[in-house]
């Protein structure tokens, strides 16, 4: 049986087209299956699983938490598996992943996830600063001290038996005679002299009047 050449050419053309189509599918599926950045965030850690990257170039990954670096920029080749512990926190954290592929920006990745607060941890309110007042100096307590007076020497009420007793005047003894040394004598003498002078003056004035009448 002889196959016409036209049929052979048509069959060859179809086979070539099929090979080209399969090659395109493989080439198209290759990049889609490569560069797989998988990562997960829990309340305690960040897990990275980067696979199927081009190991002929330099790839880089960075992880930050609320703008602060949790994983400084690290270079890797074909893949990277890493687990990073999160700091203790009482509020949700924003975790950012940055992957830079060395063989094209189309394979790079920027993504964010939230790290929740672990169960059992409550949010602690921020204390409000209060004004501190200067402490007043403490006044020492002055307790009155009572001093016990020293008992003074009490004079003896009983007279000494050796002291002589004063002699009391006897009621039966006669009164002493008065002497001329009484203190009223000068006063009496002065009064008598004044009476005499006054009488003399009166007598002189009467005589003078009689003489003037004669």
């Amino acid at each position: 049986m002889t196959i016409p050449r036209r049929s052979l050419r048509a069959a060859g053309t179809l086979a070539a087209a099929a090979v080209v189509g399969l090659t395109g599918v493989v080439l198209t599926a290759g990049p889609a299956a490569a560069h797989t950045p998988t990562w997960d965030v829990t309340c305690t850690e960040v897990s990275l699983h980067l696979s199927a990257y081009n190991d002929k170039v330099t790839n880089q990954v960075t992880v930050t938490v609320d703008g602060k670096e949790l994983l400084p920029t690290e270079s890797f080749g074909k893949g990277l598996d890493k687990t990073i512990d999160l700091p203790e926190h009482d509020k949700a954290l924003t975790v950012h992943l940055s992957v830079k592929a060395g063989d094209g920006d189309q394979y790079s990745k920027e993504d964010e996830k939230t790290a929740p607060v672990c169960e059992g941890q409550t949010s602690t309110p921020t204390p409000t600063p209060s004004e501190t007042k200067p402490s007043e100096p403490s006044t020492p307590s002055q307790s009155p001290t009572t001093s016990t007076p020293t008992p003074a020497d009490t004079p003896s009420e009983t007279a000494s038996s050796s002291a002589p007793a004063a002699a009391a005047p006897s009621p039966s003894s006669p009164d002493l005679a008065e002497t001329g040394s009484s203190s009223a004598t000068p006063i009496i003498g002065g009064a008598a002299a004044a009476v005499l002078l006054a009488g003399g003056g009166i007598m002189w004035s009467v005589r003078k009047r009689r003489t003037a009448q004669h």
Side-chain angles (χ1 to χ4, degrees):
M1 179 179 180
T2 302
I3 300 175
R5 290 182 178 180
R6 290 181 179 178
S7 299
L8 293 174
R9 289 178 180 177
T13 301
L14 292 174
V19 170
V20 171
L22 291 174
T23 304
V25 171
V26 172
L27 293 176
T28 304
H35 305 86
T36 306
T38 303
W39 71 306
D40 188 31
V41 176
T42 66
C43 68
T44 59
E45 63 186 16
V46 178
S47 301
L48 300 178
H49 180 66
L50 310 178
S51 61
Y53 280 83
N54 187 356
D55 59 353
K56 305 298 182 183
V57 296
T58 301
N59 307 301
Q60 293 180 334
V61 60
T62 306
V63 179
T64 60
V65 176
D66 288 346
K68 298 179 181 179
E69 287 187 345
L70 179 66
L71 173 66
T73 302
E74 183 174 334
S75 300
F76 65 97
K78 188 175 182 179
L80 175 69
D81 288 310
K82 198 175 190 69
T83 300
I84 312 159
D85 293 332
L86 286 170
E88 293 184 1
H89 53 280
D90 55 5
K91 64 179 180 178
L93 302 177
T94 301
V95 184
H96 183 83
L97 172 69
S98 176
V99 179
K100 302 292 184 183
D103 53 355
D105 291 340
Q106 69 272 22
Y107 305 126
S108 299
K109 184 178 182 64
E110 300 289 336
D111 195 11
E112 280 188 354
K113 291 186 179 183
T114 301
V117 178
C118 296
E119 294 183 0
Q121 293 182 352
T122 57
S123 300
T124 303
T126 304
T128 303
S130 59
E131 297 181 359
T132 56
K133 297 181 180 180
S135 59
E136 297 181 357
S138 58
T139 304
S141 59
Q142 298 180 353
S143 57
T145 58
T146 56
S147 59
T148 304
T150 304
D153 295 337
T154 55
S156 176
E157 295 180 357
T158 58
S160 175
S161 58
S162 60
S170 174
S172 61
S173 60
D175 295 333
L176 298 177
E178 293 184 359
T179 60
S181 61
S182 175
S183 59
T185 301
I187 297 174
I188 296 172
V195 171
L196 292 176
L197 289 176
I202 293 170
M203 293 295 294
W204 179 77
S205 61
V206 171
R207 288 179 181 179
K208 188 175 180 181
R209 286 179 182 178
R210 288 178 182 179
T211 303
Q213 290 176 358
H214 292 290

